[in-house]
Amino acid sequence: MNNHVRELRGEQNWSQADLAERLEVSRQTVNAIETGKYDPSLPLAFKIAQLFGRPIESIFVPGEE
């Protein structure tokens, strides 16, 4: 799965640590999501979408597996 988390985080001028704190996850989790090494759980994906005020499907898009 591909995502736009890094771009959205950059628009807010947040560090990975800033985003992690807002999502109540580790900075390493944010890094893994951004680099595509980890697909977030559905509750975490909803939390990310809510935080950025966007629909989930505009943040997470299917990619080649």
Side-chain angles (χ1 to χ4, degrees), residues 8-50:
L8 293 169
R9 178 176 60 78
E11 290 173 7
Q12 300 295 319
N13 293 316
W14 293 339
S15 67
Q16 287 183 343
D18 293 333
L19 179 56
E21 185 176 330
R22 286 173 169 83
L23 295 174
E24 300 177 328
V25 298
S26 70
R27 185 201 57 78
Q28 291 85 355
T29 297
V30 170
N31 180 269
I33 291 169
E34 288 184 354
T35 59
K37 295 179 182 169
Y38 172 72
D39 290 334
S41 65
L42 193 54
L44 181 54
F46 271 107
K47 199 170 186 177
I48 291 167
Q50 183 177 28

Side-chain angles (χ1 to χ4, degrees), residues 51-65:
L51 180 64
F52 289 116
R54 301 197 179 200
I56 287 178
E57 59 272 12
S58 76
I59 299 173
F60 299 97
V61 293
E64 293 184 21
E65 297 287 322

